[in-house]
Amino acid sequence: MTIPKTQSLFTLFLFILVILNNIIAEARRSSRGGFHGTKLFVFGDSYVDTGNFLRSGSYKPPNGITFPGKPAGRFSDGRVLTDYIASFLGIRTPVAYRYRNYVEKSKLQHGMNYAQGGTGIFNSILTNGPNLTTQINSFQKLVQLNVYTKHDLRSSVALVNVGGNDYATFLQTNGNLKDVGAFSSGLVNQLCLDLKRIEVMGVRKIAITLMMPMGCAPQQSVNTSYTKCAELPNVVARNHNQKLLHCLANLKQSSVFITLDLYNTFNSIISSMARKRAKNPRLMNPLEPCVRVEVEKEGKHKYKVCEKPEASFFWDQAHPSQNGWHSVYSQLQSSLHQLLQN
């Protein structure tokens, strides 16, 4: 039986179309990083925590009102840095370590988040939660239990954001930031040891954030009625970042270490928003928090949310809003592309 020429051409056309669709889909997965089973392992504090600090404000209103619509363990109205980086890699946000035994095993395939709000490189007076070394210990135990294999680690990414709570602890303990230099040196040295430990365990791509401009957080800029950033905390942040960059440059590396410059990124976005507001005063001040918390009688808390959270940069006294994190992520993408290189 002879197949009509038109039918044969149509069949060939369909076959080519299927092949092209498969190639395009594979290219998209690869470009987003969701190729070869990429996993994301997260360490640090509230900037990257997605649910580990159970008894905290992250599980209370109004957190989560933008995403997922209710409090869910993020110190924001919605997504935080972890969510955006996971999306960039083409995977789902990794499960919080606290819930590792309460989810299906399949949900562990995207990695795990060990970060907890209030924690630091050293122990923090803000919480008795696990410091960075303890978080890495928890990671190591799961590797020893073969929850994650050496092959998993070689094709995965570690994200580390930590340090802010260490300086907050220093400030509360000493009353000021004078003589913080020696403390900062010890802090950065320990951080580099922790980063090296993650590398030695087998993770081949490690992203470490530089300290954000601490003086621009509303809890600091409130002293200027939110008109400008406090300079001394920003000097401390800049010195911390210089020491960290120097330490990383002298670290013997077999892995890819990339720095995510929160300091200049935050400053750039805040400056841009301030210039726009100078032309249109109705726009929100980027140094002001969107949510204000007041303490009523009998210790009850009352909060007030700004009219447009989607137009804010800071959500509360210390943390960016979802819009703030999205703006930061958009500027960091050129750095993140290094994570996709073989």
Side-chain angles (χ1 to χ4, degrees):
M1 179 179 177
T2 304
I3 300 175
K5 186 175 182 180
T6 54
Q7 183 178 346
S8 177
L9 290 173
F10 181 73
T11 302
L12 179 62
F13 172 79
L14 288 179
F15 176 78
I16 294 173
L17 188 61
V18 169
I19 294 297
L20 286 174
N21 283 337
N22 288 338
I23 292 173
I24 292 171
E26 195 68 20
R28 285 176 176 170
R29 282 194 294 271
S30 180
S31 66
R32 295 174 62 200
F35 190 49
H36 297 315
T38 299
K39 292 173 175 57
L40 178 62
F41 298 102
V42 185
F43 306 90
D45 54 28
S46 56
Y47 271 26
V48 288
D49 186 1
T50 55
N52 281 314
F53 200 172
L54 190 59
R55 301 181 186 279
S56 72
S58 66
Y59 278 100
K60 297 177 182 178
N63 287 299
I65 60 172
T66 300
F67 172 84
K70 61 181 181 180
R74 291 169 174 80
F75 290 82
S76 177
D77 63 309
R79 297 171 179 84
V80 295
L81 184 60
T82 298
D83 299 297
Y84 286 108
I85 291 183
S87 177
F88 176 82
L89 295 172
I91 60 176
R92 293 185 178 181
T93 297
V95 66
Y97 178 71
R98 175 177 292 277
Y99 297 111
R100 67 194 182 283
N101 296 323
Y102 304 98
V103 298
E104 298 176 0
K105 296 280 181 146
S106 61
K107 291 190 176 180
L108 304 182
Q109 66 180 325
H110 306 295
M112 192 165 291
N113 189 341
Y114 300 88
Q116 181 171 319
T119 61
I121 297 167
F122 299 142
N123 290 336
S124 166
I125 64 173
L126 305 180
T127 176
N128 62 355
N131 63 25
L132 182 57
T133 298
T134 303
Q135 292 177 25
I136 298 171
N137 288 345
S138 298
F139 178 41
Q140 187 171 30
K141 287 178 182 178
L142 292 189
V143 174
Q144 291 170 343
L145 291 171
N146 211 37
V147 175
Y148 297 108
T149 66
K150 291 293 184 181
H151 175 75
D152 290 329
L153 302 191
R154 283 195 298 271
S155 60
S156 297
V157 172
L159 169 65
V160 182
N161 180 96
V162 70
N165 293 321
D166 293 283
Y167 289 105
T169 295
F170 182 92
L171 177 60
Q172 290 194 30
T173 302
N174 295 276
N176 57 62
L177 287 171
K178 293 181 180 178
D179 304 317
V180 73
F183 172 80
S184 181
S185 296
L187 192 69
V188 170
N189 287 340
Q190 181 60 49
L191 174 55
C192 279
L193 289 175
D194 289 330
L195 294 173
K196 185 63 180 179
R197 186 177 166 203
I198 294 172
E199 180 192 30
V200 170
M201 287 178 63
V203 179
R204 289 292 170 257
K205 296 177 181 178
I206 301 171
I208 171 69
T209 61
L210 299 183
M211 187 72 64
M212 56 83 76
M214 295 187 290
C216 296
Q219 61 190 6
Q220 294 292 335
S221 65
V222 65
N223 297 320
T224 68
S225 299
Y226 306 115
T227 58
K228 61 180 181 180
C229 302
E231 181 57 22
L232 181 56
N234 280 359
V235 170
V236 172
R238 289 196 298 270
N239 288 338
H240 172 96
N241 292 339
Q242 289 173 359
K243 290 176 181 179
L244 178 55
L245 290 170
H246 178 75
C247 185
L248 290 174
N250 289 283
L251 199 65
K252 291 183 179 180
Q253 303 172 6
S254 58
S255 299
V256 176
F257 282 79
I258 72 164
T259 53
L260 304 179
D261 189 353
L262 295 190
Y263 189 93
N264 286 310
T265 300
F266 273 49
N267 270 340
S268 173
I269 296 167
I270 290 170
S271 296
S272 176
M273 293 179 69
R275 287 193 297 270
K276 292 177 181 178
R277 185 169 182 265
K279 297 178 181 178
N280 183 359
R282 290 180 297 177
L283 296 177
M284 187 168 178
N285 181 350
L287 296 179
E288 287 190 59
C290 175
V291 61
R292 310 288 183 99
V293 179
E294 301 173 355
V295 179
E296 295 182 307
K297 293 180 180 180
E298 301 178 356
K300 293 183 179 179
H301 286 75
K302 177 183 178 181
Y303 61 83
K304 181 179 180 181
V305 179
C306 65
E307 184 177 347
K308 294 182 177 181
E310 68 276 10
S312 67
F313 182 77
F314 282 106
W315 169 240
D316 58 19
Q317 292 295 324
H319 306 95
S321 62
Q322 174 173 290
N323 177 64
W325 277 126
H326 183 268
S327 300
V328 169
Y329 162 70
S330 297
Q331 290 203 16
L332 291 177
Q333 284 197 46
S334 58
S335 297
L336 291 172
H337 276 289
Q338 298 175 62
L339 298 175
L340 303 181
Q341 298 174 5
N342 294 326

